[in-house]
């Protein structure tokens, strides 16, 4: 499986500011996914990011709040904009397994606290 | 690191006993499922998967059972060890996509 890293691993931010989270994969992948895991909760898909096209957002998530970039096949960023304490969560990126595989692998996560 | 799943259902088992973690899924058309293990401060780790054309699949010390009739999935861990302590999630593939719906999670505590 791919090795996935995320930066930063954690951050404490003030409300009203924005944070960009980076996800780097050690091999080329077609699809990358961004999830949110609120405290004590399960994982919720935010969006799917494919290289060369706009990200596809799930219900309840919008591009203005969570802009995503996917400049190449090994990298993606998620920005959490105009943050509020309700945005305090773990943000996770994931990738599919081998080309066409339905397996999905996760990065270590970014733990965001908004004060 | 911070704990995840602070309010999740908890299963406590003695070290060396077998653990069974259950999950109900929603879509009878779902044809692929994954179990993940999430340790405190880490991302979910892929444990084992199963396709809907199977009702059982075994890995190293883990077995996944799929009952399509009642839309139920279980993860069995043999000879549970302290290192198995974590939150376990099932994930249900949305047919025709690469997207998943995650279960609520179960915290496994291994008692020495």
């Amino acid at each position: 499986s791919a090795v996935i890293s995320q930066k930063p691993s954690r951050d404490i931010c003030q409300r009203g500011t924005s944070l960009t989270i980076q996800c780097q994969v050690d091999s080329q992948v077609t699809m990358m996914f961004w999830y949110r895991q609120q405290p004590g909760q399960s994982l919720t898909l935010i969006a799917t990011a494919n290289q060369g096209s706009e990200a596809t957002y799930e219900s309840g998530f919008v591009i203005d709040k969570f802009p995503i970039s996917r400049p190449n096949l090994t990298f993606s960023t998620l920005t959490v904009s105009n943050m509020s304490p309700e945005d305090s969560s773990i943000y996770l990126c994931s990738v599919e397994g081998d080309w066409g595989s339905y397996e999905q692998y996760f990065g270590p996560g970014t733990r965001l606290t908004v004060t | 690191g911070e704990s995840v799943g602070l309010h999740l259902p908890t299963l406590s088992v003695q070290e060396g006993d077998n653990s069974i973690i259950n999950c109900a899924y929603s879509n009878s058309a779902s044809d692929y499922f994954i179990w993940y293990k999430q340790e405190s401060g880490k991302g979910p780790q892929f444990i084992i998967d199963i396709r809907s054309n199977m009702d059982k699949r075994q890995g190293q010390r883990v077995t996944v059972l799929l009952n399509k009739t009642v839309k139920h999935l279980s993860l069995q861990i043999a000879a549970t060890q302290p290192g198995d302590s974590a939150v376990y999630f099932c994930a249900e593939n949305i047919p025709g996509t690469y997207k998943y719906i995650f279960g609520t999670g179960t915290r496994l505590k291994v008692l020495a």
Side-chain angles (χ1 to χ4, degrees):
Chain A
S1 62
V3 176
I4 306 165
S5 59
Q6 287 185 233
K7 289 182 181 179
S9 59
R10 63 177 64 224
D11 208 341
I12 301 173
C13 302
Q14 290 190 337
R15 68 176 67 207
T17 63
S18 298
L19 176 72
T20 295
I21 301 167
Q22 299 178 6
C23 180
Q24 180 76 53
V25 190
D26 69 342
S27 59
Q28 293 184 340
V29 293
T30 302
M31 284 174 287
M32 297 179 78
F33 306 88
W34 286 98
Y35 286 82
R36 181 174 72 183
Q37 187 175 27
Q38 294 177 300
Q41 302 293 321
S42 187
L43 285 75
T44 301
L45 180 64
I46 297 172
T48 302
N50 291 341
Q51 193 264 338
S53 62
E54 293 286 333
T56 304
Y57 289 83
E58 298 301 305
S59 176
F61 298 96
V62 295
I63 188 171
D64 289 346
K65 177 67 176 177
F66 297 102
I68 288 171
S69 78
R70 182 79 200 274
N72 57 52
L73 291 173
T74 63
F75 187 79
S76 179
T77 67
L78 170 77
T79 298
V80 186
S81 303
N82 187 25
M83 288 184 284
S84 67
E86 292 70 35
D87 295 319
S88 297
S89 292
I90 300 171
Y91 292 87
L92 296 146
C93 71
S94 70
V95 304
E96 88 260 31
D98 292 338
W99 294 99
S101 164
Y102 283 91
E103 297 173 6
Q104 198 162 118
Y105 299 94
F106 283 84
T110 295
R111 287 146 188 82
L112 171 62
T113 302
V114 184
T115 60
Chain B
E2 299 91 344
S3 296
V4 296
L6 296 176
H7 308 293
L8 296 175
T10 299
L11 173 66
S12 297
V13 298
Q14 288 293 136
E15 182 178 355
D17 287 353
N18 297 335
S19 303
I20 300 176
I21 300 170
N22 297 304
C23 177
Y25 63 93
S26 57
N27 188 346
S28 57
S30 295
D31 57 7
Y32 181 67
F33 306 86
I34 302 174
W35 277 101
Y36 288 93
K37 172 186 180 183
Q38 187 174 28
E39 297 175 276
S40 183
K42 297 184 178 180
Q45 175 191 353
F46 182 107
I47 303 174
I48 191 168
D49 59 357
I50 189 167
R51 296 196 178 278
S52 60
N53 61 353
M54 307 171 70
D55 52 20
K56 180 179 180 179
R57 188 160 189 232
Q58 288 185 290
Q60 187 176 17
R61 277 200 312 119
V62 294
T63 300
V64 55
L65 298 179
L66 175 62
N67 185 330
K68 295 181 286 292
T69 302
V70 295
K71 293 187 288 186
H72 183 268
L73 205 62
S74 68
L75 177 71
Q76 300 179 358
I77 304 173
T80 311
Q81 303 169 358
D84 295 326
S85 293
V87 176
Y88 289 81
F89 293 98
C90 65
E92 169 190 358
N93 176 250
I94 300 174
T97 78
Y98 287 88
K99 300 189 290 187
Y100 287 82
I101 299 172
F102 280 75
T104 54
T106 298
R107 174 182 297 282
L108 177 64
K109 285 188 175 179
V110 181
L111 308 173

